[in-house]
Amino acid sequence: MLFWIVWTILAVYVAYIAVLFWMRRSAAETLDATEFSKDLRHGQLIDLREKDEFRAGHILGARNIPYSQFKDRMFELRKDQPIYLYEQGMTISGRAAYRLKRKGYSNIFILKNGYDAWNGKVKKGY
């Protein structure tokens, strides 16, 4: 009996991960740090981390829209410019990209492996 419970939980978890992967792939293009940095000046760079993390350090030129506020603030973004999203990993960026795509936004890009993968200019905080 315990085997089936564990197996079911594992299957649900794998399905959840697969759905998140599909959502991210269908909504945005994932770019490594080099590709991500190429056209940043022509787009909107959004840091989805919470305010304290943003203040501690962020990619130079980024605007902070924490994911906890994203649903209410996503309409601040322009639809006619590319959107570059990043956070600590990629899960939250994928969710934000999917939400944007559903509202008619396009040209959405995610930083592969998040802020820690960034090797360009940063602004350090306190």
Side-chain angles (χ1 to χ4, degrees):
M1 178 72 168
L2 181 61
F3 172 77
W4 292 110
I5 293 171
V6 171
W7 179 253
T8 302
I9 291 171
L10 182 61
V12 168
Y13 178 73
V14 168
Y16 173 73
I17 296 299
V19 167
L20 287 178
F21 178 77
W22 173 82
M23 285 171 44
R24 184 176 65 236
R25 297 248 325 163
S26 68
E29 185 177 346
T30 303
L31 304 174
D32 65 24
T34 304
E35 296 169 320
F36 194 81
S37 67
K38 286 182 181 176
D39 289 326
L40 281 182
R41 294 179 188 207
H42 304 293
Q44 304 164 88
L45 179 58
I46 308 300
D47 186 325
L48 296 167
R49 299 174 302 154
E50 293 302 316
K51 193 172 285 193
D52 290 341
E53 294 173 297
F54 180 79
R55 285 183 183 155
H58 57 272
I59 296 173
L60 194 62
R63 179 168 40 153
N64 185 224
I65 301 179
Y67 187 71
S68 60
Q69 301 171 10
F70 194 75
K71 183 178 179 182
D72 297 327
R73 294 186 56 198
M74 65 187 264
F75 300 104
E76 296 174 14
L77 301 174
R78 295 178 51 171
K79 289 185 177 183
D80 63 337
Q81 292 183 348
I83 300 171
Y84 295 87
L85 303 171
Y86 76 94
E87 37 117 354
Q88 206 57 42
M90 291 174 45
T91 304
I92 293 171
S93 296
R95 290 178 187 166
Y98 186 71
R99 182 167 279 185
L100 288 167
K101 190 73 162 186
R102 286 182 46 208
K103 295 295 183 184
Y105 290 81
S106 59
N107 293 324
I108 305 167
F109 304 96
I110 296 173
L111 176 59
K112 184 176 183 178
N113 299 322
Y115 180 68
D116 289 338
W118 181 251
N119 53 12
K121 293 182 180 180
V122 297
K123 181 173 182 180
K124 291 288 184 185
Y126 53 91

